[in-house]
Each structure stands twice: as C-alpha cells, then as structure tokens.
Amino acid sequence: MLDVKLFQMETFLSEPYEDTLAPQLKSAHERLQDGSGLGGDFTGWVHLPRDYDKAEFARIKAAAAKIQKNSQALVVIGIGGSYLGARGVIDCLCSPNYNLKKKSTPNVYFMGNGLSADAMQEVLDLLEGVDFSVNVISKSGTTTEPAVAFRFFRDALEKKYGKAGAKGRIYATTDKARGALKSLANEEGWESFVVPDGVGGRYSVLTAVGLLPIAVAGIGIEELMGGAAKMMKLCETASYENPAWTYAALRDALYQKGWSIEVLACYDPAFRFMLEWWKQLYGESEGKDGKGLFPASVEFTADLHSMGQYMQDGTRNIFETVVRLGASEHQLYVPRDEDDGDGLNFLAGKPMDFIRDRAMEGTLLAHTEGGVPNLIVEAGGKDAKSLGQLIYFFEYACGLSGYLLEVNPFDQPGVEAYKKNMFALLGKPGYEDRKAELEAKLKK
Ligand code: PA5
C-alpha cells in the first residue's frame, strides 16, 4: 500500500507538527467528507470511486470497444483538467511512445490543449487515410482552445465520412445540461458522457473525461477505479493512518517554515504527464489569495543534469517529493565488454534498476545534505490499480491542503484574467470597451 515519509525528518521538522496540525486536518477532513467547506458543491469526486454512475461506466466501455473496432486513431480534444489526467495515465501505463508502438488499440492524439497551428496541422496530416473518431471534452463547453480545435477535427470528420458518418464518430464529454457543447451534442445527436456536477475539471480523471480515452488505449478502467476505491476507503480514516493526512501535514509544515516550492520528481520518464497532472491539480487548487506552494516538477535522472545544480545549491526554498514506482517491468542487464574502454565493467551484469536505485539514493542523500527536504511517496507498481490509488491519494491530499491554507481548493478565479483579455483582443462581442483599452496599453 502507498506510503509517505519525510527522509531525515528531524533535520527539517523538529517540532511535533503532527499534533499541532491534527485539529486542522480533522476539520478539513470533515469538510471534505460532508461537503460543508469552501467550494463544497465541488466535492463530488470524494465518493466518486464508490458512487460513480455504473450505467455510464458500461456505456464508456461500449464506446471504447466501438472506437477500438472502427478507428485507428482517437483525437481527444480538451485542455487542463479535461486533458492532463488521461494523458498522464496513458503515458504512464502504455508509454510516452504509445502511438509509435505496434498494438491492436488506436493511436490517441491530444489536441485543443494549446493554440498552435503547426501542432494542429501535424495531427491533421497524420490522420490522412486513417479511420478516426473524436472525443471532445469540455465541462463548461465554452473553452476557446478545445472549441477551436473541435471545429477543425469535426470538419475533417465530416469531409471524410459525411455528416451522418461523422455523427457516429463524435463523442462529447461535457456538463449534463449546460453549455454550448451540450447544446450542439443534443442538436447533432452525438453520443454524450457527463462530467458530474460536483466534479471540477482537475478532479475529473476518474469520470468519463479520463476514462473514455484511457479505455480506448486498452487500460483496465475497472482496475483504475478499484485502486481509487481502495484509497478512498483508507482516506476516510480521520488520522495519520490516512496517507493523505501525512502528506498534507508534511507539506504544510514545510511551507510554514519557508519552503515555498514543491518539486515533484520521478525516475520514470513515463510519469512525465502525471507530473503535469499533479502540477495543475495543486497549482490551481492552492495558488490563490496570495498563498500556496508553487508546484514544479522534474524528471530524474535527466533533470539532475539541468535542474540538479539549482536544487543542490540554489535558493533554499525548495522541497522535493519523489514518487517511487518500484521495480521496472523489464529487467535489463548491463553487457560486459572485454576491452572495457569506458571503464564500466564494474557494472557488467547489473540490472538497470540497480543503477537507477543507487542514483536515487545518492540524490536523496546529496539533496538532503544540501538543505532540500525529501518526501518519499512509495506508490507501488506501475499498474492501473496502483495508479488509481495514487490519483485518489493526491486528490484527497490536495483537498485537505487547500483547507489547511483556508482557500477554496475547487475554484480557479485567476484563470479568468487571461481569458477576458484574450476575448477582448479577439473582438468577441461584449468586450468592445476592454478591447480598445487593452490595445492602447499594448502600444505603450
Ligand atoms: O480544473 C479546471 O476546472 C480547469 O483546468 C478546466 O479543466 C480547464 O480550464 C478546461 O475547462 P473545460 O473542461 O470547461 O473546457
């Protein structure tokens, strides 16, 4: 089972932080469990692994099977919470090279998560001569990036299959009643999946938002949900037996002592988009009202040769949380070379995991001695069940952390600022005054 600890705790936290924080954690925990805290309407994810819509789950599996049968590619259109979870899970469990692998499941392309014409054209080109489907995901149904991308891919589908043919290849994941995407889906008769009312974007990977693309890639979504349900049970415990309590308490205690940047690290490149998912989860949930840890990420050992210098020696406001995924699926042994020109024969016959683990221990000791507290999250294996547990663990700890900071962990008012400016500068009706004002500012 997942475990969290702070290495050489006494060096960094000599005070009894557990006792000090227990009353606040208990209160945060109760507010999450009964939805009575700030943003309580958005705590539907707390019991989701138990209460999810079983009929919709069956429809997700049926839609995934249909896509696997009639498509060589699925274009998943979404941004932020409507994108990162699915990408994180697919990369982690199938590989970042998933699309390049020989396999019986469709390629998955993630689009609508930016505004690059080149990125869009590249995927449109890759789809030439390829049977494909589209899963457009937006809870609000009004986000600009995915809405623009959907125009292009819907157009490509309709050109290829005709309007009627395209209809059976478009899957819309959105609010159950509101928003432009829901209206379009109703009018056009596209199969729709629901982002439940009480689940915000960044907490939605275990809804159709994440589950449909994940299932299309051939990952067992029952196992993923099973892992999450197991962690949900554990997280119902109102004590430090709950690993989310330990994680939330440690990061809060470190934050209070001036460590204001948390760097999430992993020694497996397949975890890269899980790091991105975590950054969004914590960044959008905590960073408000002038408060919050800054979430950053590194991929080790690659980033030991870039960010490693700063982490060892730079401003001392960073702590590190290392996710350990356990043994690799493949054991590769270093070949012996008779000439030993590179002097590496001392490693001949050793498995890659042995080398990685020594790098991990060496880094742990070096960074700790350099004044960087190291939290270790033992996540178990790189499988759907363990990842389901890890996802729920991070979500629950994030909710707790937000309440410890006394912020609303479920809104994102700061994201609106750029959107308003962008709409004004694009000439969206209703933003005329702001447009003139902003254009004048840009000329200065
Ligand atoms: O966590 C959030 O709510 C956001 O990151 C959203 O997921 C993101 O802005 C996309 O929103 P939508 O799904 O409404 O298009």
Side-chain angles (χ1 to χ4, degrees):
M1 200 34 146
L2 188 146
D3 185 46
V4 188
K5 62 170 183 285
L6 174 60
F7 184 66
Q8 291 184 356
M9 178 144 68
E10 57 296 342
T11 314
F12 302 103
L13 295 176
S14 43
E15 309 77 19
Y17 77 95
E18 283 168 302
D19 295 343
T20 316
L21 285 173
Q24 284 158 264
L25 274 168
K26 188 166 179 293
S27 157
H29 178 84
E30 283 164 5
R31 282 177 278 159
L32 278 185
Q33 288 293 327
D34 65 15
S36 61
L38 276 173
D41 287 351
F42 282 91
T43 48
W45 56 273
V46 172
H47 298 115
L48 185 79
R50 182 191 64 206
D51 297 344
Y52 66 91
D53 181 339
K54 311 295 180 300
E56 171 146 305
F57 193 81
R59 269 200 317 118
I60 291 170
K61 283 175 48 176
K66 182 178 159 198
I67 295 166
Q68 286 172 338
K69 210 164 160 204
N70 74 3
S71 301
Q72 296 157 275
L74 173 69
V75 181
V76 179
I77 298 176
I79 195 165
S82 291
Y83 153 59
L84 289 164
R87 178 136 192 206
V89 172
I90 294 173
D91 270 26
C92 184
L93 300 181
C94 300
S95 161
N97 294 319
Y98 169 75
N99 283 349
L100 297 174
K101 286 171 101 174
K102 282 206 181 74
K103 58 193 178 296
S104 55
T105 48
N107 280 349
V108 179
Y109 297 108
F110 290 96
M111 297 305 297
N113 51 69
L115 289 166
S116 159
D118 290 344
M120 180 101 73
Q121 187 60 58
E122 187 169 271
V123 173
L124 287 166
D125 290 345
L126 288 168
L127 292 173
E128 281 295 323
V130 168
D131 278 314
F132 70 101
S133 298
V134 169
N135 180 200
V136 54
I137 308 171
S138 177
K139 182 174 166 75
S140 63
T142 54
T143 308
T144 309
E145 291 90 334
V148 169
F150 183 47
R151 282 217 173 183
F152 284 90
F153 289 98
R154 182 183 168 194
D155 187 53
L157 271 180
E158 290 181 350
K159 283 198 175 107
K160 189 174 169 86
Y161 299 102
K163 214 168 158 53
K167 181 176 152 184
R169 289 176 175 274
I170 296 175
Y171 302 84
T173 306
T174 187
D175 189 85
K176 73 170 185 304
R178 286 180 301 262
L181 181 57
K182 181 62 194 164
S183 311
L184 259 178
N186 285 349
E187 276 163 35
E188 301 288 339
W190 301 325
E191 173 148 25
S192 299
F193 296 98
V194 174
V195 193
D197 279 346
V199 183
R202 57 192 174 274
Y203 294 83
S204 71
V205 55
L206 299 174
T207 72
V209 170
L211 296 178
L212 180 57
I214 290 168
V216 169
I219 295 165
I221 56 175
E222 286 90 352
E223 285 79 17
L224 195 71
M225 289 303 273
K230 198 165 174 200
M231 184 53 69
M232 183 193 86
K233 259 327 297 128
L234 190 56
C235 286
E236 279 168 1
T237 315
S239 76
Y240 286 102
E241 275 169 43
N242 174 344
W245 271 48
T246 305
Y247 179 49
L250 285 168
R251 57 199 300 286
D252 189 77
L254 291 169
Y255 177 60
Q256 287 185 38
K257 291 190 77 176
W259 281 285
S260 57
I261 297 175
E262 179 177 13
V263 177
L264 194 72
C266 187
Y267 282 77
D268 190 329
F271 203 72
R272 174 168 168 217
F273 270 88
M274 287 306 300
L275 301 174
E276 297 300 321
W277 169 82
W278 172 89
K279 279 197 288 199
Q280 188 211 351
L281 181 63
Y282 279 77
E284 266 192 346
S285 299
E286 289 190 303
K288 50 197 72 159
D289 306 340
K291 295 185 254 190
L293 281 156
F294 181 81
S297 66
V298 285
E299 287 169 54
F300 286 162
T301 61
D303 286 335
L304 288 172
H305 298 259
S306 56
M307 297 303 288
Q309 171 58 39
Y310 193 103
M311 295 193 65
Q312 187 69 46
D313 251 357
T315 311
R316 299 297 71 190
N317 58 356
I318 294 175
F319 73 89
E320 202 171 333
T321 300
V322 182
V323 177
R324 291 184 176 175
L325 297 172
S328 300
E329 201 183 317
H330 303 97
Q331 287 309 321
L332 292 180
Y333 298 87
V334 178
R336 172 168 295 281
D337 180 87
E338 282 320 314
D339 296 338
D340 197 23
D342 53 11
L344 269 187
N345 268 355
F346 75 102
L347 290 177
K350 296 271 193 279
M352 287 291 291
D353 274 8
F354 170 82
I355 305 174
R356 178 201 65 182
D357 291 349
R358 299 300 80 74
M360 195 149 75
E361 289 164 357
T363 308
L364 173 69
L365 292 167
H367 286 185
T368 304
E369 274 159 29
V372 180
N374 258 254
L375 281 168
I376 298 164
V377 176
E378 298 281 0
K382 210 167 69 173
D383 54 76
K385 199 168 170 209
S386 304
L387 201 56
Q389 289 184 21
L390 187 66
I391 286 170
Y392 189 90
F393 157 77
F394 275 134
E395 288 181 350
Y396 201 79
C398 188
L400 290 175
S401 299
Y403 285 155
L404 288 182
L405 281 176
E406 291 177 8
V407 299
N408 177 351
F410 308 116
D411 66 359
Q412 54 283 330
V415 180
E416 292 309 308
Y418 105 89
K419 283 192 192 166
K420 282 186 192 136
N421 286 352
M422 179 175 74
F423 289 151
L425 292 166
L426 285 170
K428 188 170 177 170
Y431 290 80
E432 292 77 4
D433 290 351
R434 199 179 177 98
K435 182 175 198 293
E437 189 191 314
L438 293 179
E439 284 176 346
K441 278 190 190 163
L442 285 171
K443 279 191 195 124
K444 275 185 192 159

